[in-house]
Amino acid sequence: MMIMEVEVSSKFKLEKAVCNHGFFMMAPNTWYPSTKTFVRPLRLLNNNTVTDQVKRMLRLSKEDEEAVEAFHKLHSDAADKGFGRLFRNPSLFEDIVKTFLLCASRFEDSLGRAEKLCNLNPERKRGRRKRAQVNFPTAHEVLSFGMNKLERTLGYRCDVIFDLATDVVSGRVDLDRWENSITDGDELYKELIHRKGIGNFVASNILMCIGFYQRVPLDSETTRHIKQVHHHCGVNKVTDEMVKDIYDKYAPFQTLAYWFELLEYYESKVGKLCLLEKADYKKVTGSLIEKRISSSSSSIHICDNLVI
């Protein structure tokens, strides 16, 4: 067993850094609520590589720490509750693939597809006994599966995942440049939005994973949240202008402010995410929460009538 130490601030809490985004629920990430322990396989090239992966997931770099402090100065509620680090995966490639899996899909299905991708990994076939846990595939490994196998396994979004892996392996897409060389989020957004399969939600989510928080990812969950929490129930469509009116006061951390609200909403309905069992992860979506609330309200109403 390799033991390493990673320096963190005195205010750092592991459960707050991990249990705040759907990514932590997706294979091969595993959170144990009873011990508040996070487990997943990493690429063991060298000690520095492992440390870098841990720091990336938990956003422990100097730049991340500065961003958290700056956001807390703008958002006192988030500061009081220690929110400011959105969990991400060890690599940008994994972030992007999982974002594809989340896009326009039931969360339960997204969780299942992430697990299926991990199970395609050749490590699963080594030896007679199955390994307890296999890693998320790299771009090279995705190509090794072949398009036909990927389509049979995933179906949904397999084409854009395979295309991304192809471009990463060939060098047509330089993920390191996206993550470490581009300093203007708007510049990268314009580049991303022209790729097949990348719309506003995917592009904005990629920016969020890199550390550009200005663009709130807009999807059905965002729409539900804006209509319900910010009392825009009468509107047919939530626009970018509405989102900007609500969150631009937190610039350049609009997405962090949005996720803080979303996390608060989820936990007010299903309890602390860090205490949820894996079987309950599929329930953490706004649409299912609202269905349960509606069903519960109807039952209570009937009982009241009976009592009366």
Side-chain angles (χ1 to χ4, degrees):
M1 177 186 293
M2 181 180 68
I3 299 176
M4 64 178 184
E5 294 183 0
V6 178
E7 186 177 350
V8 298
S9 72
S10 59
K11 298 179 181 179
F12 178 85
K13 299 289 185 183
L14 181 64
E15 65 268 26
K16 291 185 179 294
V18 173
C19 305
N20 56 42
H21 189 283
F23 280 163
F24 93 88
M25 303 178 187
M26 301 176 80
N29 299 319
T30 305
W31 174 261
Y32 294 97
S34 60
T35 59
K36 293 186 178 180
T37 303
F38 178 71
V39 176
R40 70 157 288 152
L42 296 172
R43 305 281 169 182
L44 298 177
L45 299 178
N46 55 61
N47 288 350
N48 288 337
T49 300
V50 176
T51 303
D52 289 344
Q53 290 176 82
V54 172
K55 287 183 175 181
R56 187 182 192 280
M57 286 188 292
L58 304 179
R59 299 189 188 257
L60 296 176
S61 70
K62 179 182 176 181
E63 293 76 15
D64 289 320
E65 192 66 37
E66 291 173 349
V68 171
E69 291 180 3
F71 173 58
H72 283 174
K73 290 178 181 179
L74 295 173
H75 203 305
S76 58
D77 288 344
D80 291 342
K81 297 193 175 182
F83 173 86
R85 292 178 172 85
L86 276 177
F87 179 81
R88 55 187 175 179
N89 299 286
S91 72
L92 182 57
F93 179 76
E94 185 173 335
D95 285 337
I96 297 174
V97 172
K98 286 182 175 177
T99 298
F100 283 141
L101 297 181
L102 286 170
C103 186
S105 177
R106 295 190 311 164
F107 188 48
E108 181 178 3
D109 294 334
S110 301
L111 295 174
R113 291 188 180 105
E115 190 164 357
K116 288 178 180 178
L117 259 181
C118 291
N119 288 338
L120 280 179
N121 198 304
E123 294 177 11
R124 175 66 72 183
K125 300 179 181 179
R126 294 176 186 169
R128 293 183 179 181
R129 298 177 63 184
K130 290 184 177 180
R131 295 170 65 100
Q133 198 173 33
V134 292
N135 216 331
F136 197 85
T138 64
H140 285 86
E141 288 167 344
V142 168
L143 291 190
S144 73
F145 302 153
M147 182 61 186
N148 291 337
K149 187 173 184 179
L150 198 65
E151 186 173 13
R152 289 196 304 271
T153 304
L154 292 182
Y156 178 79
R157 307 294 276 177
C158 63
D159 54 340
V160 293
I161 292 173
F162 195 81
D163 287 348
L164 173 66
T166 300
D167 287 348
V168 169
V169 171
S170 69
R172 287 192 294 271
V173 165
D174 184 350
L175 296 182
D176 183 68
R177 182 181 71 86
W178 285 3
E179 186 159 29
N180 298 310
S181 298
I182 297 178
T183 58
D184 186 339
D186 290 336
E187 175 189 340
L188 181 54
Y189 181 86
K190 292 175 183 177
E191 183 175 340
L192 292 171
I193 208 71
H194 291 298
R195 284 191 58 84
K196 176 184 176 183
I198 294 185
N200 173 281
F201 171 79
V202 174
S204 300
N205 212 68
I206 293 172
L207 293 177
M208 177 192 75
C209 291
I210 292 173
F212 297 116
Y213 300 111
Q214 293 91 337
R215 291 180 178 269
V216 176
L218 187 57
D219 66 348
S220 58
E221 192 72 344
T222 319
T223 298
R224 179 206 58 76
H225 180 79
I226 298 299
K227 286 184 175 182
Q228 182 182 56
V229 176
H230 291 279
H231 311 297
H232 286 291
C233 298
V235 302
N236 293 323
K237 180 181 179 182
V238 172
T239 64
D240 289 335
E241 288 70 27
M242 291 179 189
V243 175
K244 287 174 66 66
D245 286 343
I246 295 169
Y247 297 109
D248 270 7
K249 62 184 176 181
Y250 301 110
F253 305 108
Q254 291 93 320
T255 300
L256 287 180
Y258 163 70
W259 266 103
F260 174 74
E261 289 182 358
L262 199 60
L263 182 63
E264 289 283 284
Y265 173 79
Y266 288 153
E267 294 196 333
S268 72
K269 305 301 181 184
V270 302
K272 294 291 185 182
L273 298 191
C274 66
L275 299 179
L276 285 183
E277 297 293 339
K278 183 178 179 180
D280 294 323
Y281 287 169
K282 61 185 178 181
K283 301 176 183 178
V284 189
T285 63
S287 58
L288 287 180
I289 288 172
E290 291 310 305
K291 285 181 181 179
R292 290 199 299 274
I293 291 175
S294 177
S295 175
S296 175
S297 297
S298 298
S299 300
I300 292 172
H301 180 68
I302 292 171
C303 290
D304 284 345
N305 285 340
L306 289 173
V307 171
I308 290 173

